[in-house]
Amino acid sequence: MKNKLIFLIIIIFFGFQNLSLSSGFNFEGSNLEILEGGKLIRANQGKAISNDGNFEISSDKFEYLKDKDILKSIGNGVVFINSEKLKIEYDNAIFDQNNLTFEATGNVKIFELNRKFVIKNNKISYDQKDNIVNSNDITKIEDKFGNIYFVDNFIFEINKNLIKVKNL
């Protein structure tokens, strides 16, 4: 009986090693670590999916601070924002679920999945409440006709399908 109980505990531990449920994200990944009494989750070569299913994030590494509901995505990140049909590639990002924002840095590329345009720069912010992507960095915008524009900054109002730029 004791051996069966130990065997069951081992099966449960290893069976759930690659999947962790948290208040803001579900994680899949190799080398998943749950630290500090479950307050910190680290994963490598993984995927994080917001509990509402709107954000699907892939990255080399994740650090999730459960108390603050903040997810750090480190290295080769890609996020799909399903409700807005956007794909954003980046080097690093911080997702703040309490404030419904995220900031992406390093080689940022925003693709509208309808293929209407691509936005490229080094740093963007996304406000999920207002549904706005913006940046104060010099940005390259390519439209579906092959036109290329360089601007000093931009605001993309997703609900209005409107991009406002400065110094085109």
Side-chain angles (χ1 to χ4, degrees):
M1 180 72 174
K2 187 176 178 181
N3 289 339
K4 288 182 182 181
L5 181 61
I6 292 172
F7 180 74
L8 182 61
I9 291 171
I10 291 171
I11 294 295
I12 290 171
F13 176 76
F14 286 109
F16 292 104
Q17 186 174 353
N18 287 335
L19 179 63
S20 171
L21 297 178
S22 65
S23 63
F25 293 94
N26 298 323
F27 292 90
E28 298 173 3
S30 62
N31 197 20
L32 187 67
E33 296 178 89
I34 300 172
L35 306 167
E36 299 176 20
K39 294 179 182 178
L40 174 63
I41 298 172
R42 290 186 181 146
N44 294 321
Q45 300 300 324
K47 189 174 190 178
I49 301 170
S50 62
N51 283 342
D52 64 4
N54 193 37
F55 288 88
E56 294 182 29
I57 309 158
S58 298
S59 185
D60 289 344
K61 294 181 183 180
F62 289 107
E63 284 188 9
Y64 180 61
L65 306 170
K66 189 172 183 177
D67 296 12
K68 297 178 182 177
D69 212 3
I70 292 176
L71 175 67
K72 296 178 182 179
S73 169
I74 304 157
N76 297 312
V78 177
V79 59
F80 290 94
I81 305 173
N82 295 319
S83 62
E84 306 310 326
K85 296 186 175 36
L86 290 177
K87 173 185 171 186
I88 302 174
E89 298 175 355
Y90 55 85
D91 290 338
N92 299 299
I94 297 175
F95 297 81
D96 183 340
Q97 289 293 85
N98 286 328
N99 296 313
L100 298 174
T101 61
F102 86 80
E103 188 171 283
T105 59
N107 299 310
V108 178
K109 296 177 186 171
I110 303 170
F111 301 90
E112 191 177 51
L113 295 181
N114 302 3
R115 302 264 188 221
K116 292 183 181 177
F117 60 84
V118 177
I119 298 172
K120 299 178 182 180
N121 77 0
N122 279 317
K123 183 177 180 180
I124 61 110
S125 296
Y126 174 65
D127 183 330
Q128 189 176 0
K129 289 179 283 191
D130 295 328
N131 225 11
I132 292 175
V133 178
N134 67 15
S135 177
N136 290 320
D137 286 356
I138 294 174
T139 301
K140 179 180 180 181
I141 301 174
E142 300 175 27
D143 67 19
K144 67 180 178 181
F145 303 108
N147 298 311
I148 298 174
Y149 308 97
F150 288 92
V151 300
D152 287 346
N153 59 45
F154 76 92
I155 297 173
F156 175 28
E157 297 180 23
I158 297 169
N159 291 340
K160 296 179 182 178
N161 201 23
L162 176 66
I163 300 176
K164 297 177 182 178
V165 301
K166 184 173 183 181
N167 293 333
L168 178 63

